[in-house]
Amino acid sequence: MNKIVFPKDFLWGAATSAFQAEGAYNEDGKGLSLADIRSMNINPDEEPTKALANKGDKIADSTVASDHYHHWEEDLALMKECGLKSYRFSIAWTRIFPNGDDEEPNQKGVQFYENIIDRLNEYGIEPIITLYHFDFPAGLQKKYGGFSNRQAIVDFVRYASFLFKHFKGKVRYWLVNNEQNAMIRRDGYLGITETNPLKREQLRHRCNHYMYVACAKAITACHEIDPEAKIAPVMAYAPHFPLTSKPEDVLAARNANDLFFHYMIDVHCRGEYPGYYIKWLKDNDWCPEITEEDSAALKKGKPDFFAFNYYRSNAAEYCPEDVDPELVERLRVDARSRILPGLCRCLQNPLISEDERNKWRSDPIGFHIAFRNVYELCHLPLMICENGYGAPDTLEKEGLIHDSYRIEYLKNHILQMNEAIQEGIPVIGYHAWTFLDVISTSEGFRKRYGFVYVNRDDNGGDLKRYKKDSFYWYQKVIKTHGKSLMD
Ligand code: BG6
C-alpha cells in the first residue's frame, strides 16, 4: 500500500535557467554567452545586434526568451501563489562578469539577482542557484578556447567565489554546473569547432576534466567562504536497461550507465576516475593530462549532496567492435542512439510505448531505479533539479490551458520518488522543469514544460502569463504535502 512519506521540510520546487528564461541578452551590461550564440544561431565574431538583423528569420531565441528579466516580480508572485518551497534557477556568468574575467563585477547584473534572491527569501522560497547552465562566456571562448584551457578553471572559481561571498547567508544551496555529462556531448556547448575526430575527442575529454577540477575547486571555495551553505553538481541521468537478458546486453547496459553517468559520481564524490573510465580513455587515446594538483583538488572538493535531472530511461544492447565508423559519427550526439564500438549501442526501450503527443517513452519506474542507483554510489542526500514533460500546449480562448498529460507525467514520477523515500533514500527536494515556459534547448517555444504559460511563439507574442491546470494541481500537491497525489 502506497503511503505518502515526504519529509516535513521537503523542498517542493520548480526550475528554470538564465538563458532559457531571462531574455534581455545584452541589457544592463550583460555579455554574450555560448548559449546566446547557439540559440540565436549567429556568428560570434559579428556584432550581435547586426548579426541578428542580418539573420532575418525569427525564432524563439534568448534575446527575449520568456522575458523573465522584465517580468521577475510577476513571476515570483506566481511562485508564491503556487506555494513553491524552493526555486532552482541559474545565474548568468555574463551578467556578473560580461567577458567572463572582468576586473570588476557588473553591478546591474549583481543587483538583478540580489533582487530575486531577497524577494524569494521574503516569500519563504529557498533560492537554489546553478552557477553554470550551458552559458559559458563567449568572451573567454574567443580569448583562450574556453574549458579546453586551464585558465577557465581559474576564471570560473573566481566568478563562483564572488557569488559565494556576495550572497553569503542569503543562499543556502548552490549547484555548480548543470549536466556536465550532457554538455560534453555537444560541441556547440563547449565551443568545439575541431573537425578531426581524434583531436576533437581529445579536446572534449580535456574540457571534461578541467570542468571537474573547476567544480571541485568551486566546492572547496564555497566550503571555505560560507561553511553553512551546501553545494553539489547536477548530473543528467537516463538509466539504461539491457535490451535482453543476454549477458552481452547486460554488460552493454552497464557500460552505458558507467561511462555516461556513474563514473561522474565517483569523480565528484570519491575524487577519482574509476579504472574502467581511464581504460576507455586510454584505449582511444583520449586521456587528458591529470596532474597531481588536479587529483588533490578532486579529492578535496566533495559535494554535500548530489543532484540529478531525470526525464526518461533508455535501453542498450551489445555492439561489435567493427561497427561502421560513419554510423558512430552520425549518432554520436543523440543520447538515445549513440554507439560505443565494442561496448554498447543505445536505443529507445521497445517495451515502453511511445507517447503520441511528444514521442517520448516516459518511464516513472526508471525514476525509482535512478534513485537506487545514484544513492548506492554516493550515499549523499539527493535533490532532483529537473523532471518534466515537454509538449506543445493550447491556450484556449478563456485563457485556460488543459495540460492533463503533464499532470499525469509529474504525478507518476513523484509517486515513484515517494517509493524511493519509503525505502530510506534521503531525498531533500524535487524541482519540476519548468516553473514557467522557457525556450527549449532544442525546439524554442514549440515545446513547453511550465506550470505557467508564456504567450509567445516563434513569431513573438505579448508574453502574458497564464496559469495552466498543472499550476493548480502542483499547488495542491504542495499544500497537502503530497497527500493529494492519492486522490
Ligand atoms: C535538460 C537541460 O537537459 O533538459 C535544460 O538542463 C533543458 O536546460 C531540458 O531545457 C529539456 O530539454 P529541451 O531540449 O526539451 O529543452
Side-chain angles (χ1 to χ4, degrees):
M1 174 70 174
N2 220 332
K3 220 172 91 202
I4 297 296
V5 290
F6 294 99
K8 231 174 101 229
D9 49 359
F10 191 73
L11 296 170
W12 293 102
T16 63
S17 89
F19 83 94
Q20 293 175 274
E22 289 175 4
Y25 80 104
N26 64 353
E27 257 183 67
D28 291 339
K30 183 183 173 297
L32 208 59
S33 74
L34 291 190
D36 293 322
I37 288 170
R38 283 192 316 273
S39 96
M40 295 184 230
N41 199 14
I42 55 169
N43 173 0
D45 291 329
E46 218 173 335
E47 197 272 310
T49 325
K50 215 170 112 214
L52 273 175
N54 290 344
K55 209 164 107 348
D57 61 335
K58 281 187 187 170
I59 56 155
D61 56 48
S62 67
T63 55
V64 178
S66 315
D67 204 29
H68 177 62
Y69 194 78
H70 300 110
H71 288 72
W72 70 270
E73 294 196 82
E74 182 188 350
D75 293 340
L76 266 56
L78 284 164
M79 289 177 201
K80 185 176 177 225
E81 184 184 338
C82 190
L84 293 198
K85 302 288 179 213
S86 53
Y87 172 43
R88 181 230 173 183
F89 62 103
S90 74
I91 287 185
W93 183 344
T94 50
R95 265 194 214 289
I96 308 298
F97 294 110
N99 296 295
D101 62 352
D102 311 65
E103 267 182 36
E104 294 300 324
N106 169 32
Q107 286 312 327
K108 286 193 171 159
V110 177
Q111 193 58 54
F112 171 64
Y113 294 112
E114 186 141 10
N115 292 341
I116 290 184
I117 291 166
D118 287 348
R119 186 69 56 87
L120 288 171
N121 281 324
E122 186 189 316
Y123 286 168
I125 302 174
E126 193 77 57
I128 299 188
I129 301 184
T130 316
L131 296 166
Y132 169 29
H133 192 122
F134 302 166
D135 53 356
F136 190 83
L140 297 184
Q141 192 67 38
K142 204 165 168 184
K143 189 166 173 185
Y144 54 62
F147 260 114
S148 70
N149 190 311
R150 279 189 182 275
Q151 183 59 33
I153 302 174
V154 177
D155 290 327
F156 178 72
V157 176
R158 178 173 171 267
Y159 152 67
S161 301
F162 168 77
L163 295 178
F164 300 146
K165 280 183 207 143
H166 193 85
F167 293 118
K168 184 173 172 172
K170 289 187 176 189
V171 175
R172 286 161 287 270
Y173 291 94
W174 293 98
L175 301 163
V176 187
N177 41 21
N178 181 64
E179 299 190 345
Q180 180 172 324
N181 53 337
M183 265 197 280
I184 63 143
R185 209 174 61 234
R186 299 172 177 143
D187 297 350
Y189 286 50
L190 301 175
I192 293 182
T193 49
E194 174 64 60
T195 49
N196 175 295
L198 177 63
K199 287 190 188 154
R200 186 191 65 212
E201 295 312 300
Q202 288 171 335
L203 206 54
R204 184 185 320 287
H205 291 284
R206 175 150 36 107
C207 292
N208 198 29
H209 175 60
Y210 291 172
M211 276 198 258
Y212 281 124
V213 176
C215 177
K217 289 192 170 184
I219 289 176
T220 300
C222 181
H223 288 154
E224 285 168 5
I225 296 167
D226 187 356
E228 299 294 309
K230 308 239 177 282
I231 183 161
V234 186
M235 173 178 82
Y237 194 36
H240 285 54
F241 303 126
L243 189 65
T244 74
S245 58
K246 264 200 303 200
E248 290 83 350
D249 288 344
V250 175
L251 180 62
R254 180 74 206 235
N255 285 334
N257 284 326
D258 286 348
L259 294 168
F260 299 142
F261 313 104
H262 295 168
Y263 87 96
M264 70 186 291
I265 305 181
D266 268 40
V267 182
H268 287 301
C269 302
R270 267 192 333 115
E272 269 177 34
Y273 287 92
Y276 62 79
Y277 196 80
I278 293 290
K279 176 179 183 299
W280 179 55
L281 294 181
K282 286 192 174 156
D283 284 352
N284 287 287
D285 195 15
W286 295 338
C287 201
E289 179 203 33
I290 303 173
T291 64
E292 278 180 24
E293 198 213 318
D294 293 346
S295 301
L298 293 176
K299 280 272 173 212
K300 196 169 173 200
K302 308 260 180 74
D304 303 298
F305 61 101
F306 200 84
F308 68 95
N309 301 341
Y310 176 92
Y311 289 88
R312 296 176 289 273
S313 64
N314 214 0
E317 65 175 349
Y318 167 75
C319 176
E321 190 83 51
D322 59 355
V323 62
D324 176 8
E326 268 182 33
L327 186 67
V328 177
E329 180 65 15
R330 190 148 40 84
L331 297 176
R332 78 187 162 85
V333 183
D334 189 344
R336 281 168 290 181
S337 55
R338 62 192 148 171
I339 291 174
L340 302 181
L343 293 168
C344 61
R345 178 194 179 113
C346 303
L347 64 171
Q348 300 210 50
N349 193 335
L351 300 180
I352 299 177
S353 53
E354 192 178 84
D355 183 322
E356 275 177 22
R357 188 175 298 271
N358 64 1
K359 309 286 170 225
W360 286 11
R361 290 170 197 256
S362 299
D363 178 13
I365 295 176
F367 196 32
H368 183 178
I369 297 168
F371 280 106
R372 289 247 196 110
N373 288 354
V374 175
Y375 186 62
E376 186 178 88
L377 289 166
C378 70
H379 282 277
L380 287 173
L382 302 180
M383 182 186 281
I384 297 304
C385 284
E386 289 179 32
N387 172 237
Y389 182 94
D393 291 321
T394 309
L395 175 64
E396 311 279 344
K397 273 205 192 74
E398 318 74 37
L400 302 173
I401 302 98
H402 302 304
D403 56 343
S404 53
Y405 35 88
R406 182 165 296 108
I407 294 174
E408 186 68 11
Y409 175 99
L410 294 171
K411 177 180 172 180
N412 292 337
H413 284 76
I414 296 174
L415 282 172
Q416 290 297 326
M417 173 168 63
N418 181 63
E419 293 279 325
I421 298 173
Q422 284 193 51
E423 291 163 2
I425 297 180
V427 186
I428 54 177
Y430 170 86
H431 298 88
W433 183 261
T434 46
F435 182 70
L436 70 158
D437 290 340
V438 301
I439 43 171
S440 143
T441 59
S442 47
E443 293 168 64
F445 267 84
R446 286 181 290 273
K447 199 204 259 172
R448 296 166 182 271
Y449 288 86
F451 292 125
V452 174
Y453 186 93
V454 175
N455 190 33
R456 85 162 288 204
D457 58 21
D458 292 357
N459 300 311
D462 64 9
L463 294 158
K464 226 176 135 201
R465 273 69 170 145
Y466 297 89
K467 289 170 258 180
K468 302 182 192 176
D469 287 356
S470 57
F471 177 96
Y472 299 105
W473 169 83
Y474 197 48
Q475 185 183 50
K476 194 165 172 203
V477 171
I478 299 174
K479 201 168 171 198
T480 62
H481 217 60
K483 302 272 187 303
S484 64
L485 293 163
M486 302 301 276
D487 290 351

